[in-house]
Amino acid sequence: MLRYTLKRLLSLFISLAIASLLIFAVIEVAPGDPASFMLGINAQEDTLAALRVELGIDQPKWQRYLSWVGGMVQGDFGTSYQYRTPVAEMIADRLWVSLPLALYALTLSTIIAFPAGIYAASRRGKAGDVGVMGATQVGIAIPNFWFAMMLVLIFAINLRWFSAGGFAGWDKGVFAAMKSLTLPAIALALPQAAILARVMRSSLLDVLDEDFMRTARAKGLSRGAALRRHGLRNAMIPVLTILGLQFSFLLAGGIIIEQVFYLPGLGRLIFQSISARDLIVVESVTMLLVFAVITVNFLVDLAYAAVDPRLRART
Amino acid sequence: MNRALILGGALSALMVIAALLSFVWTPFDHGAMNIPDKLQTPNSTHWFGTDHFGRDMLSMIMVGARTSIAVACVAVGIGIGLGVPLGLWAAARQGGWVDEVIMRGNDLIFAFPSLVIAILITAVFGAGAINAIIAIGIFNIPVFARVTRGGALPLWAREFILAARVAGKGAARISIEHILPNIANLLIVQATIQFSLGILAEAALSYVGLGAQPPTPSWGRMLADAQTLVSIAPHMALVPGMAIILTVLGLNLLGDGLRDALDPKLRVARI
Amino acid sequence: MSLLSINGLSLSIAGAPILRDVSLSLASREVVAVTGESGSGKSMTALAVMQLLPARSEATGAITLDGHEMLELDEATLCTLRGDLAGMVFQEPMTALNPVQTIGAQVSETVRLHRPDLNPQSRAREVLDRVGLESIPLSRYPHELSGGQRQRVVIAIAIACGPKLLIADEPTTALDVTTQAQILTLLKRLAAEDGMGLLMITHDLAVVAEMADRIVVMRHGEVVEAGDTPALLADPQHPYTQALLAASNHRVDLPGGAEQAPLLRVQNVVRDYTLPRTKLFVPAGTHRAVDNVSFDIKRGERLGLVGESGCGKSTLTRAILGLEPVQDGSITLDGTPVTDPSVRRKMQVVFQDPYGSFNPRHQVARLITEPFHLLDSPPRDHDVRIESALTDVGLSPDDAQKYPHQFSGGQRQRLAIARALMIRPELVIFDEAVSALDVSVRAQILDLIAELCRQYDLTYLFISHDLSVVRTITDRVMVMQKGRIVEAGQTEAVFSDPQHPYTRQLIDAAPQLPLHETTRARSLP
């Protein structure tokens, strides 16, 4: 198990290193000089030069890459070109919106998808199965930002149960904050729940056909008991993969949903920074998201090993 | 008979026909503004109503279908064109360094949240349909590479491949002659799925202003226009929304239907 | 009073008839074998007793197990009977256990379900000891055990609650011959010690000839004959039983082979595989799959290679075919290394799996002419060759336009032979070529090979785990164990007077049908 963890950890660091290089390279080739963008076209050459020194963009590329990565390791994400404030500070505020939103949506998606998938698998081919599968088929086809608009129309504008947008802030209490995240979380979660339910169902059906399920039934376990005791854990292996992918999707998908609900999250930050050509912020936020995704994949790998003893042995 | 296939095929065909028809005919000029007629709900003149500039929504949907289909088509093409050869190559060199490099590269692309990178690319290189296509297409490459390799690996262990090797055929020839036809089903099904994902991704990018730029109409931007007006003109959001949902639903049903229809095991059972 | 009696059982799945009017009975302490070829319905009969039939099955008739009418009981009652009154052992030990649970948990679960009075852990230990797994801790996972050990765990699960009936569905088919002998002995011992009735399902009559009290022969979902083992084997009444027995003991008539100069020379061949690294800073270990193997095949000779799974025979085969690099030694055909492309046209192969050896999307004409690729230019009499090849293997020239799925397993194996002979190779390799076939089909294919020997002066290497087949189809035989050839010699001499202890062990373990004059004289209908 330790060896497996170390090996995964090594590949985690390699992925992070390559990812940071790629992001840095993309930002590097971006046209435009941040200094002249910040100061406008009428800036004096010596002020520009001074600003470049201040921003550190006069140094050779490799040095800037190293100081960027070195800074991030210590929690220093650089200074925003636009606001001249530490990027870390800007990110920290926004993270407290985006991360809870993603987790909220992931929880909702799981709560909906697991029972739906298990129910459909247990009713294979019957009306219940066909109904659930039809609903998921539609659920997958719905763009989440459109669904978000419909939720706003129904629950905020017509029924007035929720506000149409904005974030109450955690200082107004957990309930108020969660309430303002509820519609966005539902909008994010439903299409994902549809995918997860389908994976849960097909993975369970695959397991039901396995020989060891027949062994379990021959022991005297009922169909349901065999499914619970022997089927679920084996079926969880593909489901875990999808859960890992979904977390990254929810984190990124949040970027668009934040636009719909005017939530001050990482997504808003990215868009604001893009339009202001505040590339250091774009770079750092992207790296942070990639870091989150790679870390989640690492955790999923560890979860695999916890579920499947064969993996622990192989490496 | 396969109901998913028929329904999915019909919905997909409807969208393709609408897109093709828009080249020669639309009810109105999709770009013509007519402020007096703005925000009409669907009626006998404007079947899908008009937007805040009085443009005919049906005409915009038809021309927008063109954008969606073109972006998704080229993005899937990029995925197949690069992903399938890479996957075949990796499978032919299973366990070797080529396989390792290709698959690790794939994992790396998967590690990036696709939407974030698409946004990054369009942000850095400028918004527009071409960059949207590239951004979506890049993420199709590992998908097809993985599906191809996954389908090809068990085939390489099959005895008919060994027989072909005994007959002196090289890896490239075996890949094209024996492997590719036997994974074509898988690829077709995957292509329909990626196609529908491409349409969703294009809509999302256009919605945030990073996809096709005005005056090219696109469903995503129609939704962006609708957002502030949703309370007074819900049809502006409903119409493009339904267009996206029906197209994606149609493609997914088509994929499911094709998988059932093309599965050789099922076909043999039916004979 | 019988423990189990099946009366007039008919079964259909999704409307397709599977069993028709099957009746059989089994008393306590009795061993009854149900035998038949694939599609005979023998496994479905076993599953019907446990009421573990696939979805959309409909059964009529009666199955009475220890006074319980199994067809009339509700699911909850059946659950209390399964595992308690009757236990079941399955064919595939590699997949019959839950991969993510320890064997201790899986054995004790049965105890927990039916015997709350017992301590599940200590009972599990006790039962695992009884099936010969004294040294295996309860905390092991299935993947850490060998196939034979896993089958012992499955047996432990089945007998944990002391059932009155044990059903074993092809319990040894997936196992090597020495392991098979051990598992059969174990089953027999357990049944005798616990006074269980044992219902054995098997396709191999020889397996049950020594242990069954009675044999039931099935075909196409019907019982064709049933009787006491010695009587049934000595004097089968039904023509199908007679044919089945004849096929199981089938001897082919091999023409004399002219021995000349060596055709294939294998000299000191070594093949190592690199094992996955287990420690980061220790060099990866190697597994020697083929260890210093040398032999010759003379022109016109029929050489056999026997050994159990993992002994290196597949690796050796692939090395001879030039598909696998070797670390040391040389393999030459007519003096040229087999890795040379010019040698490829002189060698062809017939594989085991009749379903996997053809590209399902190509027509027969294209499939069997694939070796033409090895020639500089395809022969001009292309169509004539296809026709004669198909006729030679007992198929019709019209079959050239068909697809593989339109043929049965035996016919596909004929196609595979046609493909191998298409370019008149000097050496043919039969890699477990008849192992996946039913006995009657196997007998026909063996006859075909003998016939082709006459026609084509074949030289071949026949690789098999099945000793009885190798004995009849080869002139000389080699025995392989752990990558080494431990014994080689004239086939009859090796079989009648084995020198190496491993050879002796193999021959003793191989199940044998007692030979009766009646069955020998008759041939297949």
Side-chain angles (χ1 to χ4, degrees):
Chain A
M1 187 65 192
L2 182 65
R3 200 175 295 134
Y4 176 82
T5 313
L6 287 176
K7 209 173 158 181
R8 304 312 308 172
L9 209 55
L10 184 70
S11 96
L12 169 95
F13 284 123
I14 294 174
S15 302
L16 284 176
I18 299 177
S20 64
L21 265 175
L22 284 176
I23 292 171
F24 184 77
V26 168
I27 296 289
E28 242 355 87
V29 299
D33 170 21
S36 47
F37 195 87
M38 286 164 68
L39 295 177
I41 37 170
N42 298 324
Q44 299 293 315
E45 188 48 45
D46 52 340
T47 9
L48 280 174
L51 183 59
R52 288 198 194 102
V53 173
E54 190 196 324
L55 297 174
I57 48 181
D58 58 327
Q59 293 166 335
K61 287 193 163 95
W62 63 270
Q63 212 172 332
R64 291 212 328 267
Y65 171 72
L66 286 183
S67 66
W68 176 58
V69 172
M72 279 194 299
V73 172
Q74 296 161 16
D76 174 12
F77 288 74
T79 306
S80 158
Y81 297 160
Q82 193 189 9
Y83 300 106
R84 307 281 178 95
T85 52
V87 178
E89 213 170 274
M90 299 167 71
I91 291 177
D93 287 349
R94 313 299 186 107
L95 203 57
W96 279 106
V97 178
S98 292
L99 199 60
L101 175 60
L103 289 175
Y104 193 178
L106 192 69
T107 314
L108 279 180
S109 154
T110 314
I111 290 175
I112 300 166
F114 276 32
I118 294 171
Y119 172 77
S122 67
R123 313 283 306 163
R124 179 188 210 165
K126 296 183 184 142
D129 182 22
V130 174
V132 172
M133 283 301 100
T136 60
Q137 197 60 274
V138 175
I140 290 173
I142 295 177
N144 54 18
F145 59 92
W146 179 82
F147 188 51
M149 285 163 68
M150 293 298 118
L151 288 176
V152 169
L153 182 64
I154 297 168
F155 295 102
I157 296 174
N158 289 337
L159 296 172
R160 300 188 176 277
W161 291 356
F162 295 92
S163 64
F167 181 61
W170 292 102
D171 46 352
K172 294 274 187 328
V174 175
F175 181 77
M178 291 300 275
K179 194 179 169 192
S180 49
L181 290 180
T182 297
L183 283 188
I186 294 174
L188 270 174
L190 272 191
Q192 296 302 306
I195 297 175
L196 197 58
R198 293 181 77 87
V199 174
M200 185 83 216
R201 171 184 179 268
S202 70
S203 155
L204 269 175
L205 289 182
D206 285 349
V207 169
L208 286 180
D209 288 339
E210 294 276 356
D211 283 353
F212 64 77
M213 292 301 285
R214 201 177 45 188
T215 309
R217 299 270 286 130
K219 275 179 190 177
L221 287 172
S222 69
R223 209 176 285 275
L227 188 66
R228 279 193 302 279
R229 293 197 207 175
H230 295 276
L232 272 183
R233 193 157 158 202
N234 280 285
M236 277 315 287
I237 296 168
V239 173
L240 272 178
T241 315
I242 300 298
L243 266 181
L245 284 177
Q246 290 210 327
F247 180 75
S248 65
F249 192 88
L250 290 171
L251 208 52
I255 293 174
I256 294 201
I257 292 297
E258 285 168 15
Q259 294 291 101
V260 182
F261 289 95
Y262 305 104
L263 290 175
L266 288 174
R268 298 279 291 174
L269 182 61
I270 277 204
F271 280 111
Q272 285 161 0
S273 309
I274 285 174
S275 46
R277 295 214 78 72
D278 202 347
L279 292 182
I280 182 86
V281 179
V282 178
E283 192 177 44
S284 297
V285 174
T286 312
M287 190 60 218
L288 186 74
L289 289 173
V290 171
F291 173 78
V293 171
I294 293 180
T295 309
V296 168
N297 287 344
F298 168 72
L299 294 177
V300 167
D301 279 341
L302 292 192
Y304 275 156
V307 170
D308 190 344
R310 287 165 297 183
L311 265 184
R312 268 174 265 162
R314 206 174 298 153
T315 24
Chain B
M1 192 48 208
N2 196 329
R3 261 178 292 170
L5 189 65
I6 295 173
L7 185 59
L11 282 172
S12 311
L14 187 68
M15 285 305 152
V16 173
I17 291 169
L20 290 177
L21 185 63
S22 74
F23 282 105
V24 292
W25 177 82
T26 48
F28 293 85
D29 177 357
H30 70 84
M33 299 192 194
N34 184 4
I35 303 295
D37 286 347
K38 70 174 182 182
L39 296 180
Q40 285 187 14
T41 46
N43 54 55
S44 57
T45 319
H46 297 282
W47 289 1
F48 288 177
T50 58
D51 73 352
H52 54 303
F53 292 125
R55 292 176 293 192
D56 178 54
M57 299 274 289
L58 175 57
S59 307
M60 289 172 77
I61 289 290
M62 285 172 70
V63 181
R66 238 150 63 182
T67 316
S68 287
I69 291 172
V71 169
C73 246
V74 180
V76 169
I78 293 174
I80 291 180
L82 292 172
V84 172
L86 283 175
L88 286 174
W89 194 21
R93 299 271 178 277
Q94 185 198 358
W97 66 268
V98 172
D99 186 21
E100 192 68 17
V101 167
I102 292 176
M103 293 328 285
R104 287 295 141 271
N106 271 338
D107 287 350
L108 195 72
I109 299 184
F110 268 124
F112 285 83
S114 53
L115 198 63
V116 175
I117 301 307
I119 288 171
L120 186 66
I121 289 176
T122 47
V124 169
F125 299 101
I130 302 291
N131 286 338
I133 287 173
I134 294 172
I136 300 168
I138 287 176
F139 289 97
N140 279 335
I141 298 171
V143 172
F144 280 101
R146 206 170 264 210
V147 168
T148 304
R149 180 177 178 272
L153 277 187
L155 288 174
W156 273 101
R158 291 272 293 273
E159 291 179 337
F160 73 88
I161 301 294
L162 275 181
R165 291 176 67 193
V166 172
K169 290 185 176 166
R173 195 177 169 132
I174 289 176
S175 290
I176 291 167
E177 211 168 285
H178 291 295
I179 306 275
L180 204 51
N182 280 294
I183 58 169
N185 292 348
L186 269 180
L187 294 179
I188 291 170
V189 171
Q190 195 63 46
T192 60
I193 293 169
Q194 294 311 117
F195 201 95
S196 70
L197 289 177
I199 285 182
L200 281 175
E202 192 276 334
L205 284 179
S206 304
Y207 172 75
V208 293
L210 296 173
Q213 294 299 301
T216 316
S218 87
W219 296 346
R221 227 189 31 263
M222 290 170 77
L223 284 173
D225 291 342
Q227 192 180 347
T228 47
L229 300 162
V230 72
S231 54
I232 49 170
H235 74 275
M236 272 183 70
L238 276 174
V239 169
M242 292 314 286
I244 297 172
I245 293 173
L246 289 179
T247 308
V248 174
L249 182 64
L251 285 164
N252 285 339
L253 288 174
L254 184 67
D256 279 10
L258 282 175
R259 182 173 43 210
D260 292 349
L262 293 176
D263 192 329
K265 273 174 283 174
L266 290 176
R267 198 198 301 163
V268 171
R270 234 173 266 155
I271 283 172
Chain C
M1 176 58 199
S2 58
L3 173 67
L4 168 72
S5 76
I6 301 178
N7 276 313
L9 175 68
S10 293
L11 172 74
S12 66
I13 298 175
I18 302 293
L19 297 177
R20 260 192 309 268
D21 197 22
V22 170
S23 299
L24 63 89
S25 70
L26 179 144
S28 295
R29 301 184 172 275
E30 195 181 26
V31 180
V32 172
V34 179
T35 187
E37 297 184 303
S38 44
S40 63
K42 54 191 190 302
S43 287
M44 281 301 156
T45 309
L47 289 173
V49 174
M50 296 295 277
Q51 283 295 292
L52 285 177
L53 292 164
R56 300 209 283 159
S57 308
E58 273 178 59
T60 57
I63 300 174
T64 316
L65 175 59
D66 199 32
H68 301 277
E69 287 299 331
M70 301 298 277
L71 292 186
E72 279 148 38
L73 294 177
D74 59 26
E75 184 57 29
T77 319
L78 285 170
C79 283
T80 62
L81 297 181
R82 289 187 201 118
D84 190 20
L85 180 61
M88 187 154 181
V89 179
F90 301 96
Q91 171 172 355
E92 203 35 86
M94 305 313 272
T95 52
L97 292 169
N98 184 345
V100 304
Q101 263 188 12
T102 62
I103 57 169
Q106 296 187 55
V107 177
S108 59
E109 185 176 33
T110 324
V111 184
R112 218 172 271 128
L113 274 172
H114 302 290
R115 302 291 297 274
D117 53 312
L118 295 175
N119 176 333
Q121 292 300 316
S122 54
R123 176 68 177 178
R125 184 66 268 164
E126 214 175 285
V127 194
L128 284 172
D129 289 350
R130 275 194 74 199
V131 298
L133 294 176
E134 294 88 349
S135 58
I136 310 287
L138 294 177
S139 58
R140 284 292 165 82
Y141 286 96
H143 71 267
E144 296 170 302
L145 307 181
S146 71
Q149 288 172 325
R150 292 190 210 188
Q151 195 64 307
R152 287 171 192 266
V153 176
V154 177
I155 293 172
I157 292 173
I159 63 158
C161 298
K164 292 187 178 174
L165 172 69
L166 181 61
I167 302 177
D169 183 6
E170 302 271 10
T172 60
T173 307
L175 302 174
D176 276 326
V177 54
T178 46
T179 319
Q180 162 169 291
Q182 292 160 6
I183 295 291
L184 291 176
T185 315
L186 173 68
L187 284 172
K188 204 172 161 183
R189 195 196 81 209
L190 291 172
E193 284 176 4
D194 293 1
M196 286 186 289
L198 176 59
L199 185 67
M200 282 275 291
I201 312 295
T202 179
H203 69 284
D204 189 348
L205 264 174
V207 162
V208 289
E210 283 172 31
M211 65 186 288
D213 299 311
R214 281 188 304 120
I215 293 181
V216 177
V217 181
M218 290 186 69
R219 182 174 66 160
H220 303 324
E222 286 176 295
V223 173
V224 297
E225 186 167 0
D228 291 341
T229 305
L232 187 128
L233 291 181
D235 186 21
Q237 298 302 308
H238 194 279
Y240 178 70
T241 315
Q242 293 162 0
L244 204 58
L245 280 169
S248 303
N249 271 327
H250 191 68
R251 293 276 173 273
V252 301
D253 183 15
L254 217 53
E259 300 223 349
Q260 294 168 15
L263 174 66
L264 181 83
R265 295 208 85 148
V266 176
Q267 284 172 308
N268 310 99
V269 163
V270 171
R271 174 72 174 114
D272 287 332
Y273 285 114
T274 313
L275 295 174
R277 244 168 221 253
T278 49
K279 294 195 178 71
L280 206 52
F281 299 107
V282 177
T286 54
H287 166 68
R288 185 150 287 194
V290 176
D291 186 5
N292 198 17
V293 165
S294 303
F295 63 90
D296 288 348
I297 302 180
K298 300 187 182 72
R299 223 175 265 281
E301 187 176 46
R302 278 84 46 142
L303 179 65
L305 176 62
V306 296
E308 296 185 297
S309 54
C311 74
K313 57 188 194 300
S314 312
T315 309
L316 181 60
T317 311
R318 292 161 66 94
I320 293 173
L321 287 167
L323 300 177
E324 187 104 29
V326 297
Q327 266 79 40
D328 204 2
S330 67
I331 307 176
T332 55
L333 188 81
D334 268 347
T336 321
V338 288
T339 43
D340 191 291
S342 68
V343 174
R344 293 240 161 128
R345 71 177 64 163
K346 297 181 181 173
M347 251 188 316
Q348 282 298 304
V349 62
V350 178
F351 292 109
Q352 166 176 8
D353 178 10
Y355 294 92
S357 47
F358 292 104
N359 187 336
R361 295 181 184 277
H362 291 171
Q363 285 178 337
V364 164
R366 178 164 178 196
L367 290 170
I368 63 171
T369 53
E370 189 162 43
F372 282 162
H373 178 73
L374 291 165
L375 307 179
D376 301 320
S377 59
R380 251 177 264 130
D381 56 345
H382 190 266
D383 294 343
V384 183
R385 288 242 208 155
I386 294 176
E387 227 168 84
S388 73
L390 287 174
T391 322
D392 284 352
V393 296
L395 295 171
S396 137
D398 303 335
D399 291 336
Q401 307 312 320
K402 291 186 182 166
Y403 286 91
H405 67 81
Q406 293 169 285
F407 295 90
S408 68
Q411 287 173 321
R412 286 189 210 208
Q413 219 50 337
R414 288 173 190 268
L415 286 177
I417 294 172
R419 171 171 65 187
L421 298 181
M422 199 43 121
I423 52 168
R424 303 287 149 87
E426 295 183 32
L427 176 67
V428 180
I429 294 177
F430 292 99
D431 186 0
E432 300 277 3
V434 296
S435 303
L437 304 175
D438 275 331
V439 275
S440 55
V441 181
R442 184 174 74 194
Q444 291 162 8
I445 298 293
L446 290 176
D447 280 337
L448 173 68
I449 293 174
E451 172 58 33
L452 292 170
C453 278
R454 249 168 246 126
Q455 218 171 322
Y456 287 79
D457 291 329
L458 286 185
T459 306
Y460 59 73
L461 177 64
F462 195 101
I463 297 131
S464 181
H465 68 279
D466 187 331
L467 297 169
S468 67
V469 168
V470 170
R471 186 172 194 170
T472 170
I473 201 80
T474 63
D475 308 311
R476 213 154 60 83
V477 68
M478 302 185 296
V479 181
M480 198 165 178
Q481 183 196 22
K482 291 178 187 158
R484 289 172 168 274
I485 305 284
V486 296
E487 183 162 1
Q490 296 303 312
T491 303
E492 259 328 297
V494 171
F495 275 86
S496 49
D497 184 21
Q499 298 302 308
H500 194 275
Y502 179 68
T503 316
R504 236 170 284 148
Q505 195 188 336
L506 273 186
I507 291 173
D508 289 344
Q512 278 246 298
L513 270 181
L515 285 182
H516 296 282
E517 290 308 314
T518 45
T519 57
R520 233 190 244 177
R522 292 183 182 119
S523 67
L524 284 163

